[in-house]
Amino acid sequence: MESLQNVLAGFAVVLEPTNLLYCLVGVVIGMLIGVLPGLGPAATIAILLPLTYGVEPVTAIIMLAGIFYGAQYGGTITSVLLRLPGEASSVVTVLDGHALARQGRAGTALGVAAVGSFVGGTVAIIGLTFLAPLVAGFALDFGPPEYTALALLGILLVSTIASGARVKALIAAAIGLLLATIGRDAFTGAERFTFDNLSMADGIDFVPVAMGLFGLGEILYNLEERHRAVHAPGKIANVWPSRKDLKESSGAVTRGSVLGFFLGILPGGGATIASMAAYAAEKKRAKDPSRFGKGAIEGVAGPETANNAAATSSFIPLLTLGIPANATMALMFGALLIQGITPGPQLVTEHPELFWGVVNSMYIGNVLLLIMSIPLVGVFVRILRVRAAILAPVTALITMIGAYTINNSVFDVLLVVVFGAVGYLMKKFGFEPGPLVLAFVLGSLLESSLRRSLLMFDGSAAGFFTRPISATLLVVFVVVAVLPLVRSVRERRAAQNPAQDRSAQDRSAQDRSAQNREEESV
Amino acid sequence: MTTLAPRTLRTRRVLLGAGAAFAALTLAACGGNVAGGADAAGADFPTGPVTITVGQDAGGSTDLIARAVADGMAEDLGVSVPVVNRAGANGALATEEVAAKPADGHELILLNASLITITPLAVSDDEAVSLDDLEVLAGLSQDDYVLLASADSGFETFDDLKQASGDVTYGTTGVGTGSQLAQAVLFAQAEVEGTAVPFDSGSPALTAVVGDQVQVATVQLGEAKSQIDAGNVVPLLAFSAERNQFLPDVPTAVEEGYDVPVSQYRAVAAPKGLPEDVRTRLVESIDAAIATETYRSFNENNLLTPHEISGEEVTAEWTELAEKYQALTDEYDISLAEG
Amino acid sequence: MRTTEPVEPEPTEPEPTGSEPVEALADDAPPAAGPVANLAACLVTAGVGGAGAVAAVGLGLGTPAQPGAGLWPLAVSVAVVVLSLTQAVVGRRGGDGEKFSRYSWLSLAGLATLLGLVALLPVIGFEIPALLLSLVWMKFLGGESWRSAVLYSVLVVGALYAVFVGALGTNVPHLF
């Protein structure tokens, strides 16, 4: 009963005009920042931190939180329209989102993403309201062996994300893993592949790699393609998703919410793995998986829902345990410290008004974002009507300057250009950038968790199987890896057997044609 | 652009641009941040914003300290004092960049002692950073390391840990950090055998010890205090020379007879060759900043012990510590570069 | 079922809405890159893997209980080499990617201007290089008229300045 009172008191806090105003300011800033590639929520919060000194702690955090989840909404826009993923968790959105935009269905993609984000965010807040103390321990149960298993599962998902030639996708993924090893080794201090360049001592940042391979690579490719194929600018139909689109996405949104909520609790990489897992789940469930990568609406709905749910649930470790799950959360931690509040296990009991105020502000913030998104989708989609000759340099320049702002480094800008050239060449030679970028993100998590585990287990691999969570994850890994093989063998047999019923035959024929298509493209 | 302090209009300067498209452009520079002129140094410092570079990401304790000092300095100097994060190589990248900037007092850096005193033990010689190219202006504060045991490990005191020698896993906050050095030397002196598990920074190391993934870990007090108060971890030892004011009941390693005084110190520095009057003005403004009530309560909230000493004292202290750590690692045959 | 002909992308959606543009694109699809390109690409990636493997061995491999800095990079590099050689065999008949055309020079020119921007950025700030890049892209790579190229370039650089320097106060090198 007492907790219910606290929840209600939290709403009273949010509904104070000042707090509502700061919530609105936060989500608007966040959305705009999300649209600018490069400048992420962490950098923005760092810049705006001094603004919060003068206000109440709860007001400050409401605004900063708004910036954080608002940026998740904004990031989708560039992923879909310009093929520029601003964060690791929106990389998979690019695959089908941009394909939809090229078919003139950008509005559908953005609309579904906005609805999915809203649902995912809201489900996660409800989860945060009722389950936070119960699930917080989940973050603590994840040690190095569990992260190893999770990252392995993630790498496996990377290979399912590829839509074209399978071996080429694996090559790209392996090169992504290799790129992730650049930098000072966290275990021995040895410099790996840095060519004695201090700028590479911490490895290369994800954002320049993704912006180069996807965004700039696409821009360079279009410079060439535009002259060859004179295709009319795709007519921009269905600015708002149809009832049918929403119906098709509803399953993806539901699954994405759940996946995102639970994986988002894990500090470090949870949101990225959640978005990948959501995409892979949709692709696996689909009757015709070959649609994915060519504009499947579920391929946008699933990951976009999952990454917003994950963004919200990443507040759980901060607010209930005092553990910041990512760079942005670390800044919030700092902002609370400046206000004289130490985030920690006692936060909920010592400052209930703060905890519930922040949590409840997210309900309001998500509603505000949804309301803002509806007209904005129409505005942003118009970007695509701008002539390509003008849009190309604008996008290129925003990318370059945005890259500088990540770490105030010219080196990062150079990296974007280098990876832009690589992205162009990959396109010419039939490699997909997606597996490379995602493997790159997971690479250091996999390597460092594996090495930490080996140190803990004294070099023996048996330890992975004696811990319940890592053992479970490894079983899932085996199932996901082996099941498709078993199924295809069985279906091949079924196809040879004429006594099978028609529906099974249809299904296997369909699968087979999908398989053949893959083989052909190899 | 409204609140940017009184900005004197700089002299017109001729700028030669590269490329054939434009030969020469005459510009009235009015706020650009490239090609900063050293010509204005001395006369009426400051002539523009004073930038403090931080070699760590925004949000960490070093960054917060820089921002707290910057606020006070901005007020005293009457110009804006932006904090720029330039993370990379533990802060070596930022230090190298600032050391190469003109010594006109407009470019400062917030230094971590560990970069000078401990990191050189773990990386190759040409990457080690020394104070030679820098002029330290003032020391700021001290952040103490605490050895924590997970609640599930059952350790209440350091003696309990010693009993478990052999199968102890301990978390560190990374290679070449005070956390690694402190534990390596302590365990060598106490003859405790254990395996070091390096994490990327303080927060994951703390999470690991709270979740009993490792039995003990050493992190900075500011990060760990709320977990200590909640009873999720048990503080065994502090590595400060004297008892920490925020943990009066926790013994120090020195008290227990181990010669491992390791703390994280922070100081403000500038490129070498600062004009005397600029230096005096900067030191004055730092003194003003750390005297403010806001800064005092910031230290208190972040569990930082003020260690406000002069630049010369900082240089002497850090040089002495670097030598001591070198001697300790030699004596116990510890290599920080081998995990 | 195998065929050496370039694969036509399938119409993606079973329903009629919105799939026309894809088909329009498919009609113009350029010639596939062919077997030589496949081999060349595989040799390049195999070379990257080989170089990685050599460097990784130099870093020290350690033991499973105390893995060295080079163990993991070695494993990954070997995977790159093996996969590249597999692809060289599997894709020996070509089939994906696309040939370079004479328009590929445009992409190269675009890349050159971007590198120019990177070189000039720390020296004279972003405004002038950005203006030049924008002019070149609009006029020469994009075929806009001088009038619109100049107009839009100035507008774009002005907007970038307003956002990154004025509104956000970032530290992008800027001259003005």
Side-chain angles (χ1 to χ4, degrees):
Chain A
M1 240 12 246
E2 195 197 339
S3 61
L4 192 65
Q5 269 168 5
N6 281 331
V7 177
L8 292 177
F11 272 111
V13 172
V14 184
L15 294 174
E16 282 168 28
T18 335
N19 292 341
L20 272 182
L21 180 69
Y22 272 84
C23 183
L24 179 67
V25 170
V27 295
V28 170
I29 293 177
M31 193 145 174
L32 295 179
I33 291 305
V35 175
L36 292 176
L39 199 66
T44 313
I45 291 178
I47 293 170
L48 296 179
L49 208 52
L51 288 184
T52 65
Y53 292 170
V55 301
E56 291 284 304
V58 63
T59 313
I61 299 300
I62 285 176
M63 182 176 96
L64 298 180
I67 294 177
F68 178 60
Y69 56 78
Q72 308 287 326
Y73 272 71
T76 315
I77 295 169
T78 46
S79 295
V80 169
L81 297 182
L82 304 173
R83 212 166 179 256
L84 268 178
E87 278 185 74
S89 60
S90 53
V91 167
V92 286
T93 310
V94 170
L95 306 176
D96 282 279
H98 191 67
L100 282 167
R102 295 197 68 157
Q103 296 165 21
R105 299 179 69 206
T108 312
L110 289 178
V112 165
V115 173
S117 298
F118 171 74
V119 175
T122 307
V123 167
I125 305 163
I126 296 172
L128 178 54
T129 309
F130 295 103
L131 301 177
L134 295 177
V135 294
F138 189 46
L140 293 177
D141 292 335
F142 261 70
E146 286 73 24
Y147 278 108
T148 311
L150 190 67
L152 268 176
L153 197 57
I155 302 278
L156 182 69
L157 295 180
V158 168
S159 66
T160 62
I161 275 165
S163 60
R166 193 51 64 80
V167 184
K168 283 187 171 179
L170 289 175
I171 294 175
I175 288 184
L177 291 179
L178 192 58
L179 284 174
T181 65
I182 292 177
R184 186 176 287 166
D185 178 26
F187 293 77
T188 62
E191 300 288 332
R192 301 197 297 194
F193 313 118
T194 60
F195 307 103
D196 288 333
N197 184 340
L198 266 189
S199 296
M200 286 165 79
D202 279 354
I204 46 185
D205 202 86
F206 155 77
V207 182
V209 175
M211 293 204 306
L213 287 179
F214 281 107
L216 203 59
E218 179 83 358
I219 293 170
L220 288 172
Y221 175 76
N222 284 342
L223 280 179
E224 170 184 348
E225 197 220 12
R226 234 175 22 232
H227 287 264
R228 192 181 48 234
V230 187
H231 47 86
K235 102 176 164 287
I236 296 155
N238 354 334
V239 166
W240 193 241
S242 64
R243 198 171 289 256
K244 182 166 163 291
D245 291 324
L246 291 176
K247 207 176 141 212
E248 276 179 1
S249 321
S250 61
V253 167
T254 315
R255 288 183 286 274
S257 303
V258 176
L259 274 172
F261 175 73
F262 284 103
L263 290 172
I265 299 167
L266 302 175
T272 311
I273 295 178
S275 66
M276 287 166 57
Y279 187 91
E282 293 316 313
K283 193 169 173 179
K284 282 238 180 293
R285 282 185 56 89
K287 288 204 198 83
D288 176 13
S290 67
R291 286 191 302 124
F292 280 75
K294 295 172 190 156
I297 193 71
E298 308 96 293
V300 175
E304 272 307 305
T305 308
N307 68 22
N308 270 65
T312 306
S313 65
S314 67
F315 278 89
I316 292 179
L318 178 75
L319 293 175
T320 58
L321 300 172
I323 293 167
N326 53 41
T328 315
M329 291 301 141
L331 270 166
M332 303 244 186
F333 191 99
L336 283 169
L337 280 176
I338 288 175
Q339 298 274 2
I341 291 173
T342 312
Q346 295 100 331
L347 184 79
V348 191
T349 42
E350 284 175 7
H351 302 279
E353 77 296 343
L354 179 96
F355 181 85
W356 293 112
V358 174
V359 171
N360 291 341
S361 79
M362 295 188 207
Y363 288 106
I364 313 270
N366 265 293
V367 174
L368 289 175
L369 280 167
L370 185 66
I371 296 172
M372 285 200 310
S373 298
I374 296 170
L376 281 180
V377 164
V379 174
F380 281 117
V381 165
R382 258 175 236 149
I383 290 174
L384 293 180
R385 295 204 183 129
V386 176
R387 283 197 296 280
I390 290 165
L391 189 59
V394 178
T395 322
L397 287 172
I398 294 179
T399 310
M400 305 283 277
I401 298 176
Y404 183 88
T405 58
I406 307 161
N407 202 14
N408 297 311
S409 151
V410 178
F411 185 78
D412 282 347
V413 187
L414 181 63
L415 274 183
V416 174
V417 179
V418 169
F419 279 101
V422 174
Y424 167 78
L425 290 174
M426 285 175 76
K427 184 125 186 165
K428 288 303 255 185
F429 287 100
F431 288 86
E432 288 172 76
L436 195 163
V437 172
L438 292 167
F440 174 76
V441 172
L442 294 174
S444 49
L445 179 68
L446 177 58
E447 184 197 357
S448 54
S449 308
L450 180 64
R451 286 172 70 183
R452 263 176 219 134
S453 311
L454 287 174
L455 285 172
M456 286 167 60
F457 299 149
D458 219 9
S460 140
F464 287 106
F465 299 97
T466 57
R467 296 167 62 110
I469 299 178
S470 70
T472 313
L473 284 171
L474 287 171
V475 169
V476 174
F477 175 86
V478 172
V479 168
V480 176
V482 174
L483 208 60
L485 287 177
V486 174
R487 204 166 54 182
S488 79
V489 168
R490 221 180 14 201
E491 274 165 3
R492 215 161 278 177
R493 240 180 247 157
Q496 284 159 0
N497 180 359
Q500 286 287 327
D501 72 86
R502 268 199 70 81
S503 71
Q505 225 168 6
D506 281 352
R507 184 150 39 83
S508 67
Q510 208 168 31
D511 278 8
R512 219 149 46 100
S513 76
Q515 249 167 23
N516 285 335
R517 227 173 290 143
E518 262 169 35
E519 274 166 25
E520 279 164 15
S521 60
V522 158
Chain B
M1 297 259 97
T2 48
T3 54
L4 276 193
R7 198 195 295 119
T8 52
L9 201 67
R10 265 193 240 158
T11 46
R12 287 177 149 249
R13 62 170 188 247
V14 179
L15 206 142
L16 286 172
F22 53 99
L25 288 160
T26 310
L27 298 158
C30 63
N33 60 358
V34 285
D39 50 314
D44 40 17
F45 177 82
T47 55
V50 175
T51 306
I52 301 183
T53 304
V54 175
Q56 280 73 25
D57 279 319
S61 44
T62 314
D63 175 65
L64 293 177
I65 293 171
R67 285 172 199 276
V69 176
D71 282 346
M73 287 180 71
E75 207 155 292
D76 184 67
L77 290 170
V79 295
S80 66
V81 183
V83 171
V84 175
N85 299 92
R86 186 73 182 88
N90 255 345
L93 191 59
T95 312
E96 201 164 85
E97 279 186 6
V98 172
K101 294 235 167 107
D104 59 4
H106 290 97
E107 295 287 348
L108 306 178
I109 178 148
L110 199 96
L111 285 179
N112 272 336
S114 60
L115 179 67
I116 313 289
T117 58
I118 301 170
T119 312
L121 299 173
V123 300
S124 62
D125 284 344
D126 48 332
E127 285 167 62
V129 178
S130 77
L131 287 175
D132 295 347
D133 303 326
L134 294 168
E135 194 156 336
V136 183
L137 298 172
L140 295 174
S141 52
Q142 159 184 355
D143 199 350
D144 286 334
Y145 287 102
V146 238
L147 177 66
L148 304 166
S150 72
D152 292 346
S153 71
F155 301 153
E156 299 284 332
T157 64
F158 185 61
D159 281 333
D160 296 341
L161 174 63
K162 279 203 311 204
Q163 304 298 321
S165 171
D167 55 9
V168 178
T169 48
Y170 61 95
T172 78
T173 60
V175 169
T177 60
S179 162
Q180 186 200 16
L181 175 82
Q183 289 178 111
V185 174
L186 174 71
F187 291 172
Q189 289 181 353
E191 291 172 354
V192 174
E193 276 181 37
T195 311
V197 182
F199 289 86
D200 295 329
S201 65
S203 170
L206 179 65
T207 309
V209 71
V210 171
D212 198 35
Q213 308 293 343
V214 289
Q215 288 149 299
V216 293
T218 292
V219 299
Q220 285 170 10
L221 177 63
E223 288 175 296
K225 189 65 163 53
S226 66
Q227 304 295 345
I228 296 174
D229 291 346
N232 290 342
V233 288
V234 183
L236 300 180
L237 289 178
F239 288 98
S240 48
E242 278 143 38
R243 284 207 179 193
N244 184 293
Q245 55 169 325
F246 303 101
L247 283 180
D249 301 328
V250 177
T252 67
V254 178
E255 277 172 43
E256 301 279 298
Y258 307 108
D259 183 24
V260 263
V262 182
S263 292
Q264 181 65 292
Y265 302 95
R266 268 101 178 186
V268 183
K272 195 130 201 135
L274 223 49
E276 198 47 47
D277 51 342
V278 173
R279 186 197 154 96
T280 317
R281 183 73 190 87
L282 280 171
V283 171
E284 205 177 282
S285 78
I286 296 171
D287 285 343
I290 59 186
T292 59
E293 190 50 43
T294 348
Y295 180 81
R296 301 259 143 218
S297 60
F298 164 82
N299 268 348
E300 191 90 5
N301 288 337
N302 284 277
L303 314 179
L304 296 168
T305 310
H307 190 61
E308 288 148 7
I309 55 178
S310 75
E312 291 79 12
E313 287 169 307
V314 171
T315 313
E317 188 178 271
W318 290 11
T319 312
E320 192 186 318
L321 282 173
E323 283 162 7
K324 183 178 178 75
Y325 296 153
Q326 178 75 59
L328 279 172
T329 49
D330 287 347
E331 184 183 343
Y332 293 98
D333 197 21
I334 294 165
S335 164
L336 295 192
E338 277 169 19
Chain C
M1 286 302 285
R2 275 179 184 277
T3 156
T4 52
E5 277 164 27
V7 181
E8 297 274 332
E10 299 279 320
T12 49
E13 298 284 327
E15 75 268 13
T17 52
S19 56
E20 300 94 335
V22 168
E23 281 168 331
L25 276 179
D27 291 339
D28 292 324
V36 181
N38 178 65
L39 189 65
C42 293
L43 288 180
V44 169
T45 53
V48 169
V54 171
V57 172
L59 285 167
L61 301 180
T63 62
Q66 282 287 342
L71 191 60
W72 172 255
L74 178 70
V76 175
S77 301
V78 169
V80 173
V81 174
V82 170
L83 287 166
S84 301
L85 297 180
T86 312
Q87 172 63 24
V89 177
V90 172
R92 65 188 176 280
R93 275 176 274 189
D96 344 90
E98 52 184 69
K99 277 200 161 58
F100 287 101
S101 66
R102 62 199 170 92
Y103 297 115
S104 301
W105 289 109
L106 292 174
S107 302
L108 193 66
L111 185 67
T113 56
L114 289 168
L115 287 172
L117 177 82
V118 177
L120 292 177
L121 184 67
V123 188
I124 57 169
F126 82 91
E127 297 97 329
I128 295 168
L131 191 72
L132 290 174
L133 182 140
S134 172
L135 273 176
V136 170
W137 281 47
M138 287 182 193
K139 173 69 192 140
F140 300 110
L141 305 182
E144 290 287 313
S145 68
W146 272 115
R147 208 173 70 108
S148 71
V150 170
L151 177 72
Y152 287 122
S153 297
V154 170
L155 281 177
V156 165
V157 175
L160 288 176
Y161 188 92
V163 170
F164 284 99
V165 181
L168 296 170
T170 60
N171 293 292
V172 173
H174 53 98
L175 189 58
F176 299 103

